Amino acid sequence: MADIYAAQLSPSKVEVVTEWVTGQDWAADFDLAAAPLEPVTSYRFDDPAGDVGLEVHILRSGDRHIQVPLTYRGTPLDGADEHLISTMDHSVLGKRWVYAGMGDPLFRQRLDDTIATAGTAARQFRVDDEGRRIDEITEVAHAFGTGPLAGARDVEMLHQLNLDSSAEGSEGGLLLGRWDGQETSVVLAVMV
């Protein structure tokens, strides 16, 4: 389960994501000045220790949809300087170090585990400043694994999403997702 505070963030998540996306080769043809990134939804994975936020943002620029996985840590991740995107001030939790999700071993482990066990993204709850759960957040993406893929050794997150391609009845080795307004499953990650 993921606990979500009603916190002020500086810079905002969209600002952090936009800055990172502008430096990615796969987004070189995006014109974010003409079609700025707009949040669509998100999903999270559980950190069993409850220390690290593991969140994937799904956004759109015009008619194109992308996803960006991030991790939020209370202290720097040793040996991961090249994956550090930003730091942000969280009004409840304090300073957070924001990493590209695929560069964070915990994110990769939780992604692999979700796919291989046919698990699901974490349930999310709004909490007050003292950390007491208020209610469940249901307006998020439902991401789920399809089970292991024999011989696969790695997993690849898809940055650009194809919303028109149905993945219903797909074989193992996938992370699929649906959200309000997207009733067919979209491929989010693939075991390779």
Side-chain angles (χ1 to χ4, degrees):
M1 288 181 271
D3 293 335
I4 311 300
Y5 292 89
Q8 298 298 315
L9 302 173
S10 180
S12 73
K13 292 177 181 180
V14 172
E15 290 170 329
V16 168
V17 168
T18 300
E19 179 70 25
W20 184 77
V21 168
T22 60
Q24 303 308 303
D25 291 341
W26 56 264
D29 64 337
F30 278 56
D31 184 354
L32 297 183
L37 290 176
E38 301 173 42
V40 173
T41 190
S42 64
Y43 59 96
R44 287 180 171 255
F45 296 114
D46 280 322
D47 169 15
D51 295 329
V52 180
L54 308 168
E55 183 174 37
V56 181
H57 298 271
I58 298 175
L59 310 102
R60 77 173 150 255
S61 171
D63 61 353
R64 299 168 78 178
H65 287 73
I66 66 169
Q67 70 173 339
V68 176
L70 301 177
T71 62
Y72 311 102
R73 292 176 166 270
T75 59
L77 177 61
D78 289 340
D81 290 347
E82 68 186 278
H83 303 291
L84 179 67
I85 295 174
S86 181
T87 58
M88 68 172 41
D89 293 318
H90 187 289
S91 62
V92 177
L93 300 175
K95 187 172 183 178
R96 310 300 286 169
W97 282 258
V98 183
Y99 291 90
M102 292 304 283
D104 189 319
L106 179 61
F107 182 89
R108 293 184 73 90
Q109 187 273 325
R110 298 307 298 155
L111 172 61
D112 289 347
D113 185 66
T114 301
I115 294 173
T117 65
T120 62
R123 292 174 60 198
Q124 298 182 47
F125 292 87
R126 287 181 186 87
V127 297
D128 62 20
D129 288 352
E130 285 77 42
R132 294 183 297 248
R133 291 195 174 116
I134 300 168
D135 61 352
E136 185 169 359
I137 302 169
T138 58
E139 60 275 5
V140 292
H142 172 67
F144 53 97
T146 60
L149 179 65
R153 289 178 279 174
D154 200 3
V155 65
E156 176 181 312
M157 292 281 307
L158 302 181
H159 293 295
Q160 298 192 51
L161 301 177
N162 181 354
L163 304 189
D164 298 325
S165 175
S166 175
E168 302 297 334
S170 297
E171 298 295 321
L174 300 175
L175 182 72
L176 303 176
R178 287 191 297 268
W179 52 89
D180 287 345
Q182 181 62 42
E183 301 309 318
T184 59
S185 296
V186 174
V187 177
L188 304 171
V190 180
M191 285 186 154
V192 290

